[in-house]
Amino acid sequence: MPEPGPSPSQSRLADAMALVGARTRIAHSEPHSDTTGDLTPWLGEESRAVAGPAASALERILRGPSGVGTTGLYPTRREEPPTPREPGTPVEGTPVPGLYHHPVAEPDPVRVEEISHRIKRWAVDEVQACPPEWEDQFDGFSVGRYMVACHPDSPTVDRLMIATRLMVAENALDDCYCEDHGGSPVGLGSRLLLAHTALDPLLTTREYEQPWAESLQSDAPRRAYRSAMEYFVQQATPSQADRYRHDMARLHLGYLAEAAWAETDHVPEVWEYLAMRQFNNFRPCPTITDTVGGYELPADLHAQPEMQRVIALASNATTIVNDLYSYTKELDSPGRHLNLPVVIAEREGVPDRDAYLKAVEIHNDLMRAFESEAAALAAACPVPSVLRFLRGVAAWVDGNHYWHQTNTYRYSLPDFW
């Protein structure tokens, strides 16, 4: 009996990889990105020497088509750099000194205003996730500015609303189940499981389907999860929806680990904390960048270990950004909040300032690893959907930092400099 040939997905990947030959590793370079999240600048002179003809082919693909009628393919591409601020105009927020990041252009104010209006109407009227006493906090979160900054290539406001609803739903659950608004580690597993069925519906007998369906209206997180997911699946492919459910399960697993430590008053080792943060992190957000962009990264390409490494590194780095910017906010909150500087200080016996600065270094190492892995994958597999997805993830990383830096309503930096 003849040996079976490769599956269609294996064949597609093999064909893609053959475009540039064996995978090219571009390590120890100093990559950077512009405001579009383009990967082209990551291939400097040294990298081109290593990559050879593959790099030249990659640059042509990354540049994409040019000429009359092709500008619309790149809605965030600029022929000229962004207009600088007027002299004397203060930049909102201060970046963490020494933090490796890329500044971005101000998000489109028209889109920001429209998204902000729509999401508040959804949160207040449609899912009742924002009572009047939380309104100032909701407005201060600036979710419209956040999502427009993170998804600059989204073709429509409707697409941007996919990410915005999911972001608000995730934060509603975090606040109500884990954090400020009634959250507790006690019984968290049961609450998370039932909320997860709003994303991954329960399949049961007719007798018990009705009480389950009614339970989805019982609290703000479940109402928000159910509604946001319904909107999402209308514009996502089945594989994109399943990918998101998987990453939300990862997130909930990370919540449970942190809750277990809180219940036992345990401070994890630094490596244990970083393991938890690989699950309790922003991963569900960049993983939907193609849905928000109006295209699909095929499931077989998304599942490749190299792509999964890129997504995981990006998510880990952006989550450490949150630890650094929210450091003083969490210190001022009741109880002990675990974040990377706090864990380093306690487990490694160093002063708070040294622990914070070491956390900055860890972030920078993760960022450079993300960019190196992304550049290598772009060289090895220059399929248009892969390249666009990598640009989208890079844009999400940059937009996430922009939002943390500029959200002075929520965050302020410690006095360590």
Side-chain angles (χ1 to χ4, degrees):
M1 180 181 232
E3 290 292 324
S7 68
S9 63
Q10 291 171 325
S11 298
R12 175 162 45 177
L13 179 63
D15 291 343
M17 300 294 273
L19 289 173
V20 291
R23 175 176 177 173
T24 304
R25 287 282 177 184
I26 307 171
H28 311 300
S29 62
E30 288 296 326
H32 66 279
S33 67
D34 62 13
T35 57
T36 68
D38 197 340
L39 296 173
T40 307
W42 293 356
L43 295 175
E45 293 300 324
E46 180 181 349
S47 298
R48 291 191 188 95
V50 174
S56 298
L58 172 63
E59 288 178 340
R60 289 196 299 273
I61 294 167
L62 286 173
R63 283 197 300 270
S66 60
V68 177
T70 61
T71 304
L73 294 175
Y74 295 91
T76 64
R77 178 176 288 173
R78 294 174 178 268
E79 295 301 323
E80 301 295 335
T83 303
R85 295 173 183 268
E86 292 294 325
T89 302
V91 178
E92 189 174 5
T94 302
V96 172
L99 192 75
Y100 177 50
H101 69 283
H102 307 300
V104 303
E106 290 292 326
D108 180 352
V110 176
R111 282 194 163 189
V112 170
E113 183 177 1
E114 178 64 17
I115 291 291
S116 299
H117 172 71
R118 289 195 190 187
I119 192 60
K120 190 167 183 180
R121 188 173 59 194
W122 175 79
V124 173
D125 299 333
E126 196 166 335
V127 296
Q128 296 83 50
C130 179
E133 59 269 26
W134 299 355
E135 189 170 346
D136 59 334
Q137 297 175 53
F138 187 91
D139 293 340
F141 194 85
S142 301
V143 67
R145 190 157 51 98
Y146 194 177
M147 293 298 95
V148 175
C150 285
H151 297 284
D153 75 335
S154 184
T156 66
V157 169
D158 286 341
R159 287 277 171 178
L160 276 168
M161 282 298 297
I162 295 171
T164 311
R165 290 189 200 93
L166 291 172
M167 170 65 78
V168 170
E170 291 163 26
N171 277 275
L173 182 138
D174 190 28
D175 284 345
C176 295
Y177 285 7
C178 308
E179 296 285 351
D180 304 334
H181 297 299
S184 168
V186 179
L188 179 60
S190 174
R191 297 193 298 276
L192 286 177
L193 175 65
L194 296 178
H196 196 82
T197 67
L199 309 175
D200 198 351
L202 174 65
L203 302 178
T204 187
T205 62
R206 184 172 300 179
E207 179 183 1
Y208 298 109
E209 184 174 7
Q210 185 62 29
W212 162 73
E214 292 173 355
S215 77
L216 299 182
Q217 300 295 326
S218 61
D219 62 19
R222 278 185 269 189
R223 289 193 298 272
Y225 264 31
R226 181 200 57 78
S227 176
M229 193 67 182
E230 285 183 352
Y231 282 106
F232 176 60
V233 298
Q234 289 172 14
Q235 301 194 64
T237 67
S239 65
Q240 288 173 326
D242 196 57
R243 177 204 308 172
Y244 178 75
R245 293 185 186 103
H246 186 190
D247 281 345
M248 288 299 290
R250 283 182 164 122
L251 176 66
H252 294 157
L253 182 60
Y255 285 168
L256 290 174
E258 192 169 18
W261 293 335
E263 282 196 278
T264 58
D265 198 28
H266 172 69
V267 177
E269 298 288 346
V270 176
W271 70 265
E272 291 177 310
Y273 178 82
L274 291 171
M276 181 274 292
R277 270 314 214 180
Q278 183 158 311
F279 291 83
N280 178 5
N281 71 11
F282 286 115
R283 187 174 184 137
C285 303
T287 203
I288 64 169
T289 187
D290 54 339
T291 310
V292 181
Y295 66 100
E296 181 179 18
L297 176 66
D300 54 323
L301 297 178
H302 176 267
Q304 287 304 307
E306 295 84 357
M307 181 62 77
Q308 290 297 301
R309 283 180 58 81
V310 168
I311 297 170
L313 285 165
S315 304
N316 292 351
T318 54
T319 304
I320 302 308
V321 165
N322 181 263
D323 277 14
L324 294 168
Y325 279 96
S326 65
Y327 177 75
T328 57
K329 176 177 179 286
E330 292 181 345
L331 287 182
D332 292 339
S333 301
R336 176 167 59 183
H337 288 255
L338 292 182
N339 56 53
L340 185 55
V342 166
V343 173
I344 292 173
E346 182 147 343
R347 280 299 186 178
E348 300 189 355
V350 298
D352 292 345
R353 179 182 183 276
D354 293 346
Y356 191 92
L357 297 180
K358 183 170 184 179
V360 172
E361 293 176 5
I362 291 171
H363 165 271
N364 292 351
D365 288 345
L366 289 169
M367 270 289 288
R368 289 192 166 90
F370 153 65
E371 292 185 338
S372 179
E373 291 284 340
L377 178 55
C381 188
V383 176
S385 60
V386 169
L387 301 180
R388 185 173 179 187
F389 189 84
L390 292 173
R391 286 196 297 267
V393 173
W396 202 95
V397 169
D398 296 344
N400 177 73
H401 175 268
Y402 161 86
W403 176 79
H404 280 86
Q405 174 192 329
T406 59
N407 196 328
T408 54
Y409 174 88
R410 290 173 63 87
Y411 305 124
S412 60
L413 299 184
D415 186 18
F416 288 153
W417 297 275

